Amino acid sequence: MRHASGKTQLATFAGGCFWCMVKPFDELPGILSLVSGYTGGHTEDPTYEEVGTETTGHYEAVQIRFEPDVFPYTRLLDIYWRLIDPTDAEGQFMDRGASYRSAIFVHNEAQREQAEASKRNLQLSGRFKGKIVTPILPAGPFYPAEDVHQNYYNTHRYDYNRYYEGSGRASFFKRHWDRKQDKEELRRRLTALQYAVTQEGLDEPAYDNPYWNNTSRGIYVDVVNGDPLFNSTDQYDARTGLPAFVKPLHEGYISKKGDLRDGKVRTALYGRLSGSYLGHLYHDGPPPGGLHYQINSAALRFVPEGEMVREGYGEFAGLLSRNREIYWRMSEHE
């Protein structure tokens, strides 16, 4: 888990229906709270019905309290752009009207500068043919929405999933953020094996990979986007010929999905923000947790202890304890 300085900030984003703006940020490292609500208008304490009349001037939005030392504002912006159609000034996807417009509401000058730079870079990238019209506006009063709208993706899962798919968000993301040229760029950056593992779900050969018996101190990061995933002191010998860990650095960087390949029922692990296939989760690990994160070496990049500060991972140095020796001694006597 990443250490925080105690500093917190607010980030406020409008991106159409606020039901769809919570899940992508929820439970990420450094995210302390997420509130769906209304902002940008001229009335006080508006209701959902009032905002829906398009007479209040309010946007549906989500307000995030976060620790910038743990999860920087620039990374929140990266996630935000992938959730919206930034070329649409009249709403988002199937939701039309002023309350469904996109906007970034900034809380200080640093946020404004970072948001402006992020918007310019997106325009220059050529990812979208049209002009990026999402405005960057000063944050004002924010009014939390009614309880039924909070954490909607968890409290109304069936309705949320049906709405999300029907809205067109998923297909829009695939067209603009999972393009053929994106895959080609990734092929150039990764080795053939790294690409096959992370993008095509291949599991590499046992005992024929660089990290299965690595005894150096450091951390393992996602080979695609550099997210910190595992600590070497949480690694142990599971006698599978693949790297094994008792826990990740933070669960928020990993997503889990059911895997029925090869006629087995397993839990597959992916990098939550990179989408990279990592490996599998089993329940045959050492006590007290009993968890076994079996990860492909090709999905990881090892950052040695001596390089952690230079590469921006210095905050994890204090986690390099002697647990690794304990786990390895335990596995030797099984």
Side-chain angles (χ1 to χ4, degrees):
M1 183 177 297
R2 301 184 75 169
H3 296 287
S5 65
K7 295 187 298 183
T8 67
Q9 288 187 17
L10 292 175
T12 305
F13 301 118
C17 178
F18 48 25
W19 294 346
C20 297
M21 295 295 292
V22 173
K23 182 179 180 180
F25 298 104
D26 199 16
E27 298 182 353
L28 285 170
I31 304 301
L32 304 179
S33 66
L34 294 113
V35 180
S36 296
Y38 317 108
T39 193
H42 52 79
T43 64
E44 295 183 0
D45 298 315
T47 66
Y48 183 74
E49 289 74 19
E50 290 169 346
V51 172
T53 66
E54 307 297 356
T55 61
T56 68
H58 283 292
Y59 296 69
E60 288 194 11
V62 61
Q63 189 162 92
I64 305 168
R65 182 169 291 279
F66 69 105
E67 296 172 297
D69 291 345
V70 176
F71 205 85
Y73 185 68
T74 52
R75 296 212 69 189
L76 294 178
L77 290 168
D78 289 342
I79 295 172
Y80 171 73
W81 291 122
R82 292 169 177 251
L83 305 179
I84 67 168
D85 177 356
T87 67
D88 188 347
E90 306 300 326
Q92 287 292 291
F93 308 105
M94 74 177 188
D95 295 309
R96 315 312 300 163
S99 63
Y100 294 114
R101 292 171 296 167
S102 65
I104 300 172
F105 295 92
V106 295
H107 292 263
N108 53 53
E109 181 62 18
Q111 285 191 2
R112 186 192 67 77
E113 293 176 356
Q114 291 170 345
E116 293 284 6
S118 181
K119 181 178 177 179
R120 284 195 302 272
N121 290 338
L122 183 61
Q123 185 72 73
L124 293 172
S125 72
R127 189 173 293 275
F128 295 93
K129 293 181 180 179
K131 182 180 179 180
I132 306 301
V133 297
T134 298
I136 297 169
L137 306 171
F142 181 89
Y143 303 98
E146 296 83 345
D147 288 347
V148 68
H149 299 297
Q150 305 299 335
N151 200 28
Y152 195 86
Y153 84 94
N154 265 327
T155 60
H156 297 73
R157 292 192 180 189
Y158 174 77
D159 291 338
Y160 169 82
N161 290 335
R162 187 174 62 174
Y163 171 80
Y164 180 81
E165 290 298 325
S167 70
R169 286 176 181 264
S171 58
F172 183 87
F173 174 88
K174 189 168 184 64
R175 287 197 308 274
H176 292 278
W177 294 96
D178 191 23
R179 306 170 304 170
K180 179 180 179 181
Q181 50 265 52
D182 294 322
K183 296 182 182 299
E184 291 173 349
E185 190 280 330
L186 202 54
R187 281 188 184 276
R188 290 192 293 269
R189 189 157 59 85
L190 302 178
T191 67
L193 179 59
Q194 288 171 338
Y195 187 90
V197 168
T198 62
Q199 307 305 304
E200 298 173 346
L202 176 73
D203 284 306
E204 62 194 356
Y207 302 102
D208 187 19
N209 59 86
Y211 301 139
W212 76 269
N213 62 346
N214 178 36
T215 58
S216 299
R217 291 163 61 93
I219 65 170
Y220 296 88
V221 304
D222 190 315
V223 74
V224 171
N225 70 352
D227 278 343
L229 297 180
F230 297 98
N231 189 338
S232 67
T233 62
D234 293 321
Q235 186 173 358
Y236 73 103
D237 183 5
R239 306 206 177 144
T240 62
L242 292 170
F245 304 89
V246 297
K247 62 181 180 181
L249 279 165
H250 195 293
E251 287 283 358
Y253 282 127
I254 293 177
S255 64
K256 303 178 178 70
K257 300 179 183 178
D259 182 358
L260 302 179
R261 292 179 297 173
D262 304 323
K264 303 175 183 177
V265 180
R266 297 181 294 178
T267 300
L269 302 172
Y270 294 83
R272 177 172 171 186
L273 298 178
S274 69
S276 301
Y277 170 65
L278 303 175
H280 288 93
L281 174 63
Y282 299 106
H283 294 270
D284 57 1
L291 297 180
H292 170 194
Y293 289 78
Q294 179 177 287
I295 309 297
N296 289 285
S297 288
L300 304 172
R301 182 174 69 86
F302 183 68
V303 182
E305 182 177 22
E307 300 294 320
M308 288 170 59
V309 172
R310 184 181 66 82
E311 293 204 25
Y313 302 104
E315 64 200 88
F316 298 106
L319 300 179
L320 295 175
S321 67
R322 299 185 61 213
N323 291 345
R324 167 64 176 274
E325 299 172 17
I326 295 173
Y327 291 135
W328 279 77
R329 285 201 301 272
M330 290 174 61
S331 66
E332 289 172 358
H333 291 90
E334 288 178 352

